[in-house]
Amino acid sequence: MKSFWIRIILVILVVAGWYWWKTREEKIKFVRYDEFGIDMPVNYRIHGIDVSKFQKDINWTAVRQMKVDNIRISFAFIKATEGITRQDASFKQNWDRAGRAGLIRGAYHFFYATRDPLKQAINFQNIVDLQSGDLPPVLDIETSNNQPAAVIRSTARIWLEEMEKAYKVKPIIYTNIHFYETYLGDEFDKYPLWIAHYYQKEKPSSSRSWLFWQHSDMGRVNGIRTTVDFNVFKGDSAALAKLLIP
């Protein structure tokens, strides 16, 4: 009987030690950088931003050249389209200049479940010419427009499948944890996830694995006069390279 309880105690100690080490290793450390205007999660090595016409005229060379300690902007998600007809007025300029400055580029589409998903896919393809070295296309899906989850899933799936046919890569989904768990769920777990989670000092809390984390919408960077969204990539440069269009 005594040996039984000893084994139980040893198991508890092993589990407790494993949990302590896991949480210790994964705890996010934030450091305040006045140059960026925000607290940065320094556990991650690869940092990026996402922009649209609201960032106005961007000096992409200045964005790329800014470096504080070991932190610099390596990638940028750029808004391309919205719905079935809208195209971001700054997309082409941002896309060309970000590429020339040497940043890794990604293009995203703001999706409406109330609009024809095939027409939304065509809208994106009409202006986005993804090349080798670019990030996969991104589905920005964050509003339900009073549609049931079944409609949101079916329309989103059509857009994603069209993108995969066109660009031969698995598209990225951008959303927040609540929207993902409420409307999308495990049917979309095969897609890389870019998760929005800010105003709270911890990493996104979800059983769903993610690759990109939008951790702030109040960042500052040289070359952009407005505030801008900041992101990190969960992985090293080799993992990021593997994600890019070949």
Side-chain angles (χ1 to χ4, degrees):
M1 188 68 176
K2 185 177 180 181
S3 62
F4 170 78
W5 285 110
I6 291 174
R7 288 197 297 270
I8 293 296
I9 292 170
L10 287 173
V11 169
I12 292 172
L13 289 174
V14 169
V15 171
W18 172 85
Y19 179 78
W20 173 83
W21 178 257
K22 189 173 188 295
T23 54
R24 173 183 177 273
E25 186 178 43
E26 294 182 353
K27 186 175 181 181
I28 302 303
K29 179 182 179 182
F30 283 88
V31 175
R32 178 75 182 184
Y33 284 94
D34 291 337
E35 297 91 339
F36 295 117
I38 56 174
D39 297 345
M40 299 285 282
V42 295
N43 301 61
Y44 302 96
R45 297 180 179 180
I46 301 176
H47 300 260
I49 57 175
D50 59 275
V51 303
S52 68
K53 66 181 180 181
F54 296 109
Q55 274 66 51
K56 302 177 181 178
D57 191 32
I58 298 174
N59 182 338
W60 285 100
T61 300
V63 172
R64 179 60 176 159
Q65 289 178 346
M66 184 178 183
K67 184 177 181 181
V68 184
D69 288 344
N70 292 319
I71 299 176
R72 65 187 308 167
I73 303 303
S74 299
F75 66 87
F77 287 111
I78 301 169
K79 184 176 182 181
T81 50
E82 179 175 337
I84 62 176
T85 58
R86 297 178 187 172
Q87 300 175 347
D88 190 274
S90 297
F91 172 72
K92 290 186 177 179
Q93 175 175 293
N94 283 332
W95 189 254
D96 292 341
R97 292 181 180 179
R100 288 202 300 270
L103 278 90
I104 296 171
R105 308 171 300 181
Y108 71 90
H109 171 82
F110 192 92
F111 186 81
Y112 293 100
T114 52
R115 303 287 189 270
D116 186 325
L118 287 174
K119 290 181 179 178
Q120 293 190 73
I122 291 169
N123 186 25
F124 185 87
Q125 292 174 56
N126 280 343
I127 71 163
V128 180
D129 180 23
L130 295 179
Q131 303 289 328
S132 175
D134 291 331
L135 287 159
V138 179
L139 177 71
D140 179 345
I141 181 167
E142 52 187 291
T143 59
S144 69
N145 297 112
N146 297 315
Q147 298 300 301
V151 170
I152 293 171
R153 288 195 297 269
S154 63
T155 54
R157 190 180 298 107
I158 290 170
W159 192 93
L160 291 165
E161 289 174 352
E162 286 300 310
M163 290 300 104
E164 193 164 357
K165 289 178 189 175
Y167 299 106
K168 312 303 181 188
V169 292
K170 194 75 70 180
I172 297 168
I173 294 175
Y174 166 88
T175 191
N176 58 72
I177 294 171
H178 173 74
F179 192 94
Y180 190 92
E181 294 179 347
T182 303
Y183 296 103
L184 299 179
D186 55 11
E187 291 182 36
F188 294 83
D189 284 354
K190 64 182 179 179
Y191 294 98
L193 182 62
W194 171 20
I195 200 76
H197 176 82
Y198 33 82
Y199 305 137
Q200 294 175 312
K201 271 282 190 74
E202 71 272 352
K203 66 180 180 180
S205 178
S206 175
S207 58
R208 168 68 160 92
S209 62
W210 50 269
L211 281 183
F212 294 94
W213 169 23
Q214 186 186 71
H215 61 85
S216 177
D217 62 347
M218 297 296 292
R220 293 279 182 178
V221 64
N222 292 351
I224 301 180
R225 295 191 296 272
T226 68
T227 56
V228 64
D229 298 337
F230 267 60
N231 304 270
V232 291
F233 174 71
K234 188 180 183 180
D236 57 18
S237 56
L240 182 59
K242 189 179 294 186
L243 179 66
L244 304 180
I245 293 176

